[in-house]
Amino acid sequence: MISDSDKNAVFRALADVFTFSEDTDFFDILSQRLAEILSVQHVVISRVDGETQMAYAHSFFSNGQHIAGVEYSLSGTPCEQVSSQTACHYVTNAAHDFPDDQMLVDLQVDSYMGYPLLDRQGDKYGLIAIMADKPFLDADLCLEVLRISGAQVAAELHRRSNESRMHELAFTDPVTGIANRTAFMHRIDREKKHADEKGEGLCLLVVNIRRFKEINDAHSHYVGDLLLAAVAERLSNTLSEQDFIARFSSDEFGILMPCTAENELPEAIERVKLAFSEPLDTGERLFGVEVRIGAAHYPSTTPEVSTLLQRASIALNHARHIASHSRIYDSSMSQQLLDEQQMLERLKLAINEEKLSLYYQPQFDVRTGKLCGAEALCRWHDEELGNVPPMQFIQLAEERGLIYSLGNWVVREAITQLQDWLTHYDGFAGTLSVNISALQFEDPYMANYLIEKTSDLPKGVFALELTESIMMQNPQHGMKQLQRLQDSGIGIAVDDFGTGYSSLSYLTQFPISVLKIDRTFIQKMYPGNHQHAIVTTIIAMAEALGLDTVAEGVETPEQEATLKALGCFCMQGFLRGKPVPANEFAERWLQPKLSDNESRINNKFLE
């Protein structure tokens, strides 16, 4: 037996070992110290797989050294006898009693003692065991030491399991099982150091799945998740082991790969595109997938790895607008982005502070020379940016979600101006029209807004201009919207007719009143050519359907004469009048209404 003082020394030594519990090699420290303080030759700390009945050693200290990678079957071993309720102790002849346990036989083990490692529910998921070539000096002390050590080991395994799970949650994408954005950023930092040491480079690709939202909407998010997992698997199987893949967001993946020079990027891009040349099988159905790719290289002219992902993302944004659907970053892209951001902020300010303006282009009936309408056109002069082209800031408004507030301002301003003209001037005939974007037309509340704002206007004096493509995006929705507007007295004109999606069957069903012939046909039109034939057909078709026509972009007397001869009488273009501010429009083409007193005087002279 061991004396009380020696026992106290054992527990002090054990307590000292536990101070290393959070060290990565704690189990090796513990197994070695147990062998020393209990005077045994072998200590094993194992995890047990309940289904396969296999033991996998976290640490195995034997005859003065650690042995890595030890695993063994529990069948026919004393470890099999260690239950969640009791320890197991074989005082002597352990190797003789378990002849199928080759490890006991090889080590010539005489005494064995095992103690279970229990989880939070009290179930066995591992064991700690000591073995010696002769009986233990003090079995009770050994059992107490194993009990205390087992509790500490179980607690530490539980902590590490939680940490591992937290790490998995923090760095793994749950849908695809690959790395997430956080893990990707850590990998960039690590690979950057390696690249700097080796004098090598990095290529980063950001891959976006085209029309992924449509797949989610049409087939459910469940199918969308299956597709994302299939994309991750396809990329993993296609690229090399050196390439690191992560999912950034709902439809974006990042790929980090070693590459020496920027001229390797085109080949890398083509490899990724080629990966999706065949459809993906989600288990539910096959999907043909197209991708957009933005790419950047490190080191570049500004060797900051922190901007690598930013640059690839900027390139991806440019890839959205070109036919190849892929771009490699260059410095001009960043400047363009800064310019767009500045313009966006200035546009927000201009809308909020009503610093935009409307110009009005007249439309004339060439038979009488009188007005047959006007079109309201938005203009923006900024103190910093100067005159900004309408196509530029309107497209920006559509892309950045400002088109609703911009469009509503145009409607309000045009209606206010029309009411003023009708109240104070004579000579305005026909309709004042404003353009509506695709996003505005999709808004289910658009019709309500327009009907409310035009409620005080006479019917037929206000109109909307829409392109064929806008109306055909959702024909059934479009018909209902337009019918409500027409019923409230708002006219409907098809803008740029002949340049977009045309369907005569739908054209006859939409409540349309005017076809506007696009300027591209007018400006290239001369008798006998293709454009002349198109214009002739449009005018004849409009007449057959009972629709009026307005010719846009009329700039020469010859164009006007040709159109008049073909039966189109309402003209809009620089020949008759450029877009001008409201006050100039009134001065040039409207007459102030006479007061009652002025009317009486005029009538008296007429008598």
Side-chain angles (χ1 to χ4, degrees):
M1 294 291 291
I2 298 177
S3 66
D4 290 342
S5 61
D6 288 339
K7 289 182 181 180
N8 290 335
V10 167
F11 290 121
R12 284 196 300 271
L14 189 61
D16 289 341
V17 176
F18 291 163
T19 62
F20 297 96
S21 62
E22 294 189 6
D23 285 16
T24 55
D25 55 353
F26 167 65
F27 298 129
D28 283 342
I29 296 173
L30 178 61
S31 63
Q32 181 173 345
R33 292 295 288 136
L34 287 178
E36 293 170 355
I37 63 180
L38 296 178
S39 298
V40 298
Q41 285 75 45
H42 319 286
V43 179
V44 62
I45 302 171
S46 296
R47 173 179 63 86
V48 171
D49 187 325
E51 292 185 4
T52 63
Q53 286 298 294
M54 288 291 295
Y56 303 91
H58 290 292
S59 179
F60 183 41
F61 186 77
S62 179
N63 290 323
Q65 62 181 347
H66 290 100
I67 302 175
V70 174
E71 58 182 61
Y72 56 94
S73 173
L74 295 178
S75 178
T77 72
C79 292
E80 185 180 18
Q81 309 304 315
V82 179
S83 72
S84 60
Q85 304 298 323
T86 59
C88 180
H89 181 204
Y90 291 89
V91 179
T92 188
N93 294 323
H96 179 270
D97 293 343
F98 293 92
D100 294 334
D101 189 339
Q102 192 61 46
M103 183 168 65
L104 289 187
V105 173
D106 291 342
L107 296 177
Q108 299 180 349
V109 171
D110 186 52
S111 295
Y112 173 95
M113 183 179 291
Y115 194 89
L117 304 178
L118 306 179
D119 60 21
R120 292 293 179 88
Q121 288 71 44
D123 296 325
K124 171 188 166 186
Y125 71 97
L127 59 89
I128 181 170
I130 57 175
M131 294 165 281
D133 57 9
K134 57 185 177 182
F136 304 129
L137 294 177
D138 190 325
D140 291 338
L141 176 63
C142 291
L143 183 60
E144 182 63 13
V145 168
L146 289 188
R147 184 188 68 79
I148 296 172
S149 299
Q152 184 69 30
V153 169
E156 181 59 22
L157 285 173
H158 182 72
R159 184 187 70 81
R160 295 188 182 192
S161 176
N162 286 343
E163 283 188 352
S164 176
R165 177 57 178 160
M166 289 171 63
H167 185 277
E168 180 182 352
L169 292 174
F171 293 98
T172 304
D173 173 55
V175 174
T176 62
I178 64 175
N180 61 12
R181 186 188 186 94
T182 302
F184 195 82
M185 298 309 296
H186 282 274
R187 184 62 174 252
I188 288 179
D189 289 338
R190 193 170 73 193
E191 292 299 325
K192 183 260 184 185
K193 294 177 183 177
H194 177 78
D196 290 343
E197 291 171 358
K198 300 293 184 180
E200 299 175 349
L202 296 173
C203 291
L204 194 157
L205 277 61
V206 178
V207 181
N208 166 256
I209 305 173
R210 295 185 64 201
R211 294 186 290 273
F212 178 70
K213 184 178 184 302
E214 295 177 17
I215 294 173
N216 264 344
D217 293 344
H219 301 283
S220 80
H221 287 270
Y222 170 73
V223 173
D225 286 350
L226 293 177
L227 179 60
L228 290 171
V231 168
E233 183 178 10
R234 178 69 61 85
L235 287 173
S236 299
N237 292 338
T238 301
L239 301 174
S240 70
E241 293 182 358
Q242 292 178 304
D243 302 333
F244 187 76
I245 305 168
R247 180 184 172 216
F248 285 170
S249 61
S250 62
D251 58 356
E252 282 189 7
F253 292 79
I255 302 171
L256 188 67
M257 55 181 64
C259 60
T260 304
E262 191 169 352
N263 58 17
E264 296 180 36
L265 277 173
E267 182 182 348
I269 290 171
E270 290 308 312
R271 284 209 315 272
V272 173
K273 287 184 178 180
L274 186 63
F276 298 100
S277 58
E278 297 292 331
L280 292 176
D281 188 356
T282 65
E284 297 283 329
R285 53 162 293 171
L286 292 176
F287 284 98
V289 171
E290 295 181 1
V291 295
R292 301 185 186 95
I293 303 172
H297 181 262
Y298 170 84
S300 61
T301 53
T302 306
E304 291 293 334
V305 74
S306 59
T307 63
L308 186 60
L309 178 56
Q310 178 188 13
R311 291 176 176 183
S313 297
I314 291 172
L316 175 63
N317 187 57
H318 282 260
R320 299 176 191 275
H321 307 294
I322 60 175
S324 66
H325 302 303
S326 61
R327 285 295 300 272
I328 297 172
Y329 173 85
D330 65 66
S331 57
S332 66
M333 295 180 183
S334 288
Q335 186 58 51
Q336 182 177 338
L337 183 64
L338 291 174
D339 292 343
E340 285 185 0
Q341 188 61 35
Q342 181 192 16
M343 183 179 293
L344 179 65
E345 295 303 322
R346 300 295 299 175
L347 181 57
K348 288 179 182 178
L349 184 66
I351 294 172
N352 292 337
E353 297 184 357
E354 298 193 350
K355 291 184 176 181
L356 301 167
S357 59
L358 287 187
Y359 276 43
Y360 300 86
Q361 185 168 27
Q363 300 165 348
F364 289 96
D365 188 328
V366 294
R367 294 169 298 185
T368 64
K370 294 182 179 180
L371 284 173
C372 57
E375 180 180 358
L377 300 166
C378 191
R379 296 291 185 263
W380 178 26
H381 177 81
D382 183 77
E383 295 175 357
E384 296 182 7
L385 305 176
N387 290 320
V388 184
M391 289 297 295
Q392 193 172 351
F393 72 80
I394 289 174
Q395 179 179 346
L396 183 64
E398 289 179 334
E399 292 174 352
R400 304 300 181 89
L402 295 179
I403 194 63
Y404 303 105
S405 53
L406 174 60
N408 290 343
W409 178 85
V410 169
V411 168
R412 292 195 308 269
E413 184 70 12
I415 290 172
T416 299
Q417 187 58 64
L418 181 57
Q419 289 172 327
D420 178 75
W421 284 343
L422 295 175
T423 302
H424 299 103
Y425 293 89
D426 287 324
F428 186 84
T431 59
L432 175 63
S433 61
V434 298
N435 291 276
I436 296 294
S437 74
L439 291 175
Q440 287 175 275
F441 191 61
E442 290 175 359
D443 184 353
Y445 302 104
M446 182 204 72
N448 293 343
Y449 181 81
L450 291 169
I451 292 170
E452 176 191 349
K453 295 300 178 183
T454 58
S455 59
D456 294 332
L457 290 174
K459 290 190 175 183
V461 299
F462 186 79
L464 300 181
E465 294 190 13
L466 305 93
T467 65
E468 302 160 86
S469 299
I470 290 175
M471 292 189 296
M472 292 305 299
Q473 284 183 357
N474 188 342
Q476 298 303 321
H477 166 77
M479 287 181 190
K480 293 178 181 178
Q481 286 266 64
L482 295 180
Q483 190 61 58
R484 287 189 62 206
L485 294 170
Q486 187 193 58
D487 292 343
S488 70
I490 297 174
I492 307 298
V494 180
D495 194 19
D496 302 335
F497 186 76
T499 62
Y501 182 95
S502 296
S503 172
L504 291 180
S505 62
Y506 275 114
L507 191 62
T508 60
Q509 299 176 51
F510 280 113
I512 298 167
S513 52
V514 176
L515 296 183
K516 298 193 73 175
I517 306 172
D518 187 67
R519 67 180 63 249
T520 56
F521 300 130
I522 304 300
Q523 293 174 353
K524 297 180 181 179
M525 173 188 66
Y526 59 86
N529 76 344
H530 183 64
Q531 284 76 15
H532 186 276
I534 292 175
V535 172
T536 301
T537 302
I538 292 173
I539 294 171
M541 181 176 62
E543 184 177 354
L545 295 174
L547 306 176
D548 293 327
T549 54
V550 176
E552 296 183 290
V554 181
E555 297 181 355
T556 68
E558 292 77 17
Q559 292 169 352
E560 183 179 282
T562 299
L563 289 163
K564 184 177 179 181
L566 292 174
C568 177
F569 305 114
C570 190
M571 310 284 178
Q572 176 181 340
F574 286 4
L575 178 65
R576 291 275 181 167
K578 296 181 179 181
V580 295
N583 58 344
E584 185 177 342
F585 186 97
E587 290 174 4
R588 295 182 62 177
W589 296 300
L590 302 179
Q591 294 294 326
K593 286 186 177 180
L594 298 175
S595 65
D596 291 342
N597 186 46
E598 289 173 322
S599 296
R600 284 194 297 271
I601 293 173
N602 286 342
N603 289 335
K604 184 176 181 179
F605 279 112
L606 288 173
E607 293 174 358

